[in-house]
Amino acid sequence: MNLFNVYPLYDITPVKALDCTITDNNGVEYLDLYSGHGVISIGHTQPDYVAKLKNQLDNLGFYSNAIQNPLQVELAEKLGKLSGLEDYELFLCSSGAEANENALKLASFHNGKSRVVAFDNSFHGRTSAAVAVTDNKKIVAPINAQQVVTFLPLNNIELVEAELAKGDVSSVIIEGIQGVGGLDEGTTEFFQALEKACKKYGAVLILDEVQSGYGRSGKFFAYQHHNIKADIISVAKGMGNGFPVGAILISPEFEASFGLLGTTFGGSHLSCAAGIAVLDVIEKLKLQDNVNEVSAYFFEQIKQVSQIKQVKGKGLMLGVEFDFEIGPLRKKLITEKHIFTGSANNKNLLRILPPLTVKKSDIDTFIVALKESLEELQY
């Protein structure tokens, strides 16, 4: 049997990793400034994390949600404390797409409506409703397109209000900072007006923090930069540091009932151990402080590179934009300079999503490699 060929692959085979360094099967070391789409939050094979998972696996890896699982309670309490959302409730699942599916479903249960407002260049996942609210027709199959979704440009509150006023919008879903779309984001004025409009018209405000959450933006959630409250928040990538974990954080306005939501693998003992370990390490190592310190250093040092058009994003969720397509540059960085970075729908944008443990010296390494690569490519 062959693998279903849906991924264009670089000819690199990682076999081990530590913190921000990945080593391949030939012994070549790579600086990881992408963390597998922003998944590695506390560094590869972080010792406390590894020990927590090994210990849990020695005892109990999985049982269903039909029994008591104190680890779920511990995870919820720690997440509430670190995020500042102690009055919210937690539903655990296994991925960002599943989190957004449940967010959209819960919103529709809540107000009995079905239409969704989403935004241009958004990405919310590849499952049924999640992909329907994703602005990429290439990955939306006919069965997904049955969902009723209206896409609008960011930062135009008048257009949003006009749709909400029609009375049939169940929810508005928006990323704290757009990921795949290219690091665009709503302004504070827009986010605050959006919160008010959703309340006025009875629509649920869903904040997709799957990539921008867990301290990556410099605050625990990116939307917290704008001093608003979300009705539902979806999380995943950095939540498990590579172990499949997802969740939605649900405001007190929503009422639970048996069977309303469900999952087989979400909230397993092993996934909760991963989630708890991540939160413990974020707090122990003060990683949000590191995010802000290294981010400020990045913004200062990147000024050395004259070819850059602008730097987008916040914290360690960054996009370096040029006046040319970055495909050859990214390939050179990976294959010759041994630095992992990412791309976006914006073909001129290089995405920087390192582990939150990244050091200033790693940024120095990147700047040197970037300048050399641009010169070698004659940009």
Side-chain angles (χ1 to χ4, degrees):
M1 182 183 293
N2 295 320
L3 295 174
F4 198 48
N5 190 20
V6 292
Y7 300 118
L9 301 176
Y10 284 100
D11 189 18
I12 298 168
T13 306
V15 293
K16 63 179 180 179
L18 179 64
D19 198 16
C20 297
T21 301
I22 292 174
T23 306
D24 73 9
N25 58 334
N26 296 312
V28 177
E29 292 186 346
Y30 297 79
L31 173 60
D32 187 5
L33 296 185
Y34 192 56
S35 62
H37 309 303
V39 167
I40 301 300
S41 50
I42 59 171
H44 292 279
T45 61
Q46 202 281 336
D48 295 341
Y49 171 86
V50 172
K52 183 85 172 178
L53 264 69
K54 283 182 175 178
N55 180 67
Q56 186 60 49
L57 194 56
D58 282 339
N59 288 282
L60 176 65
F62 172 82
Y63 205 76
S64 79
N65 284 303
I67 47 80
Q68 297 288 329
N69 185 348
L71 292 172
Q72 293 185 357
V73 177
E74 182 182 354
L75 176 56
E77 289 176 347
K78 289 188 172 182
L79 178 53
K81 178 186 173 185
L82 272 187
S83 66
L85 301 176
E86 292 175 282
D87 59 335
Y88 280 54
E89 295 181 320
L90 186 68
F91 175 77
L92 291 159
C93 54
S94 301
S95 71
E98 190 183 356
N100 283 328
E101 289 284 337
N102 281 290
L104 294 163
K105 182 178 181 180
L106 183 59
S108 187
F109 271 134
H110 181 69
N111 56 26
K113 302 174 185 178
S114 59
R115 186 160 68 103
V116 180
V117 168
F119 293 92
D120 295 347
N121 291 318
S122 60
F123 185 91
H124 299 290
R126 291 176 178 269
T127 53
S128 186
V131 80
V133 298
T134 290
D135 185 23
N136 184 347
K137 290 183 173 60
K138 291 181 181 178
I139 63 172
V140 179
I143 193 170
N144 311 128
Q146 296 178 85
Q147 308 282 348
V148 184
V149 183
T150 302
F151 289 97
L152 299 174
L154 278 173
N155 296 320
N156 190 325
I157 194 60
E158 290 80 12
L159 291 180
V160 177
E161 287 224 40
E163 294 302 324
L164 293 178
K166 295 176 183 178
D168 64 335
V169 174
S170 169
S171 59
V172 176
I173 186 167
I174 183 170
E175 292 158 274
I177 301 171
Q178 288 190 338
V180 174
L183 282 295
D184 290 321
E185 57 185 310
T187 63
T188 293
E189 180 184 18
F190 179 72
F191 270 110
Q192 291 181 354
L194 184 61
E195 179 192 24
K196 290 177 183 176
C198 285
K199 280 186 168 53
K200 179 179 178 181
Y201 294 104
V204 174
L205 178 57
I206 300 171
L207 258 295
D208 180 343
E209 296 276 356
V210 167
Q211 189 169 111
S212 56
Y214 265 70
R216 181 157 292 280
S217 74
K219 291 187 180 290
F220 198 88
F221 291 124
Y223 81 86
Q224 292 172 328
H225 286 279
H226 308 296
N227 194 30
I228 65 167
K229 288 189 175 181
D231 296 314
I232 304 175
I233 303 148
S234 56
V235 293
K237 292 186 186 297
M239 187 177 187
N241 201 50
F243 196 96
V245 190
I248 52 175
L249 285 69
I250 306 160
S251 81
E253 297 177 17
F254 293 78
E255 186 175 345
S257 61
F258 292 152
L260 188 72
L261 303 177
T263 174
T264 296
F265 296 107
S268 72
H269 296 74
L270 201 53
S271 67
C272 285
I276 290 166
V278 166
L279 293 171
D280 286 346
V281 172
I282 287 175
E283 187 171 30
K284 176 183 175 181
L285 300 184
K286 299 181 179 178
L287 290 186
Q288 280 191 236
D289 291 343
N290 189 63
V291 170
N292 289 311
E293 186 176 336
V294 176
S295 179
Y297 186 77
F298 182 95
F299 272 94
E300 188 61 35
Q301 296 304 307
I302 202 72
K303 292 176 183 177
Q304 300 176 36
V305 186
S306 60
Q307 297 92 329
I308 290 172
K309 179 180 175 183
Q310 64 175 324
V311 180
K312 302 163 76 173
K314 289 183 172 69
L316 293 177
M317 186 172 178
L318 301 169
V320 181
E321 190 171 20
F322 298 87
D323 286 322
F324 52 84
E325 293 193 4
I326 57 87
L329 174 61
R330 183 179 176 228
K331 183 176 181 180
K332 180 178 274 287
L333 285 169
I334 295 175
T335 59
E336 297 181 26
K337 308 301 180 182
H338 303 142
I339 298 176
F340 284 20
T341 61
S343 60
N345 287 346
N346 178 351
K347 301 301 182 185
N348 294 358
L349 190 100
L350 192 71
R351 276 203 289 168
I352 309 297
L353 296 166
L356 308 187
T357 54
V358 69
K359 300 175 181 63
K360 291 179 182 178
S361 58
D362 298 322
I363 303 306
D364 292 336
T365 299
F366 169 69
I367 298 294
V368 170
L370 180 60
K371 290 164 72 175
E372 288 178 354
S373 297
L374 290 167
E375 184 178 339
E376 291 162 11
L377 291 167
Q378 298 184 332
Y379 286 126

